[in-house]
Amino acid sequence: MSANSRLTVAAHALTWIGLYQRRGHEVATSEQIATSVNTNPVVIRRLLAELRKAGLADSQRGAGAGWMLVRDLETITLLDVYQAIDPGPIFALHRATPNPECVVGNGIGPAMTAVYDEVEAALRGELAKTTLEDVLRDVLKAA
Amino acid sequence: MSANSRLTVAAHALTWIGLYQRRGHEVATSEQIATSVNTNPVVIRRLLAELRKAGLADSQRGAGAGWMLVRDLETITLLDVYQAIDPGPIFALHRATPNPECVVGNGIGPAMTAVYDEVEAALRGELAKTTLEDVLRDVLKAA
DNA sequence: TGTCGTTGTAACGATTAGTGTTACGACCAG
DNA sequence: CTGGTCGTAACACTAATCGTTACAACGACA
């Protein structure tokens, strides 16, 4: 699939801001975060803008401004981040509507949708088990 | 949409072949299956070729030939189909290696990989719960 | 043996999502 | 004012999927 790194980068950015703030800084710039992620600052700003809409981060403008967390790392799960970046469904149905005059073509959509709903629920359940605090703990343990 | 309809189409094709065979036919052509799926026969042949590699389907060549199931619908789970079409990972890490001199950049990869492994395991567990026989039953119930 | 229906597969273009980059306006602390 | 930072549009590039055309390979059957 189009392997998606958006959740990875979003978690990276939030964790970075959290650690930076714990070390006494008020805000983090997209430039600093981009250096850690090894990408372009605009990519970070675009992603953080989505996280801001979800109430996870906030930004200030002007000189000496930047990004900060709205909620503490302990209260943010990977599911919160996942939903904030609004990923599409994992699986899709047919591009073109299958033949409705065929028994299989007519009934396969609802049948697969039921399964896919269960799969996505399981996926969300797993993501909800991990907070960014957990992620930060793992990160620091690796050092 | 990055969302992938390959699993849907693969399950559709196998279910169609299974039902067709139960109605007394030896083989199903990619043309027939494509009509039900509402796509091009080549798309079906490409997908079924992958399922053949996984031992789920087989084909004959020549006039009056086509596709058949190797295993019964009851013994094929959606996980079997999912693995046969070899989808990439659901989530990807960073495209470019993050800054290894940054604590977060250095440790975030393994931390996220551990979570992603759990998520994929949960996803596979859900797909393993449903067989193509279950799918066919749902399909016929909808009619 | 020839024909014809079917699979096998390469090749190409279209579409889509994500990513990286440049550019420039908006904003604000000092 | 000035300079640093965000906000966002615009565009090119990559990669995966999908649809389509084309043609070779194969084999049942007359």
Side-chain angles (χ1 to χ4, degrees):
Chain A
M1 130 180 297
S2 58
N4 208 331
S5 67
R6 301 182 82 221
L7 180 57
T8 300
V9 174
H12 186 155
L14 291 175
T15 303
W16 200 95
I17 298 172
L19 180 59
Y20 196 63
Q21 289 191 311
R22 283 191 192 175
R23 288 178 174 172
H25 301 89
E26 287 285 332
V27 297
T29 69
S30 60
E31 177 83 32
Q32 294 171 316
I33 301 167
T35 297
S36 172
V37 175
N38 190 15
T39 185
N40 193 289
V42 173
V43 174
I44 300 299
R45 294 207 288 270
R46 277 196 296 228
L47 247 185
L48 286 178
E50 297 187 57
L51 300 176
R52 179 178 49 211
K53 282 182 203 159
L56 301 181
D58 202 2
S59 62
Q60 290 173 353
R61 304 177 74 164
W67 295 86
M68 70 208 74
L69 294 184
V70 171
R71 289 155 52 179
D72 192 83
L73 290 181
E74 294 173 12
T75 72
I76 304 178
T77 69
L78 286 179
L79 176 59
D80 295 326
V81 182
Y82 180 73
Q83 288 176 324
I85 62 180
D86 191 30
I90 303 292
F91 300 111
L93 296 185
H94 313 67
R95 282 201 166 176
T97 306
N99 186 353
E101 298 179 14
C102 165
V103 186
V104 178
N106 186 57
I108 192 79
M112 296 306 290
T113 297
V115 176
Y116 293 162
D117 284 349
E118 298 286 335
V119 171
E120 299 237 2
L123 179 141
R124 287 164 191 270
E126 280 300 316
L127 289 177
K129 288 182 183 172
T130 304
T131 68
L132 290 182
E133 182 72 31
D134 298 328
V135 172
L136 179 58
R137 192 180 315 117
D138 267 21
V139 163
L140 296 177
K141 192 166 52 185
Chain B
M1 146 178 61
S2 71
N4 212 334
S5 67
R6 285 162 57 86
L7 180 56
T8 300
V9 175
H12 186 154
L14 291 176
T15 303
W16 199 94
I17 298 172
L19 180 60
Y20 196 62
Q21 290 191 310
R22 285 192 191 176
R23 289 179 173 173
H25 301 88
E26 288 285 330
V27 297
T29 69
S30 60
E31 176 81 34
Q32 294 170 317
I33 302 167
T35 298
S36 173
V37 175
N38 190 15
T39 185
N40 193 290
V42 173
V43 174
I44 300 299
R45 293 207 288 268
R46 277 196 297 230
L47 248 184
L48 286 178
E50 297 186 57
L51 300 176
R52 179 179 49 209
K53 283 182 202 158
L56 301 181
D58 201 2
S59 62
Q60 291 174 351
R61 304 178 72 164
W67 295 85
M68 68 207 75
L69 294 184
V70 171
R71 289 156 51 182
D72 192 83
L73 290 180
E74 294 173 13
T75 72
I76 304 177
T77 70
L78 286 179
L79 176 60
D80 295 325
V81 182
Y82 179 74
Q83 289 176 324
I85 62 179
D86 190 31
I90 303 292
F91 300 113
L93 296 184
H94 313 68
R95 281 203 166 178
T97 306
N99 186 353
E101 298 179 13
C102 165
V103 186
V104 179
N106 186 57
I108 192 79
M112 295 306 289
T113 297
V115 176
Y116 292 162
D117 284 349
E118 297 286 335
V119 171
E120 299 237 3
L123 179 140
R124 288 164 190 270
E126 280 300 317
L127 289 178
K129 289 181 182 172
T130 305
T131 68
L132 290 182
E133 182 71 32
D134 297 328
V135 172
L136 178 58
R137 193 180 315 117
D138 267 22
V139 163
L140 295 178
K141 192 167 52 186

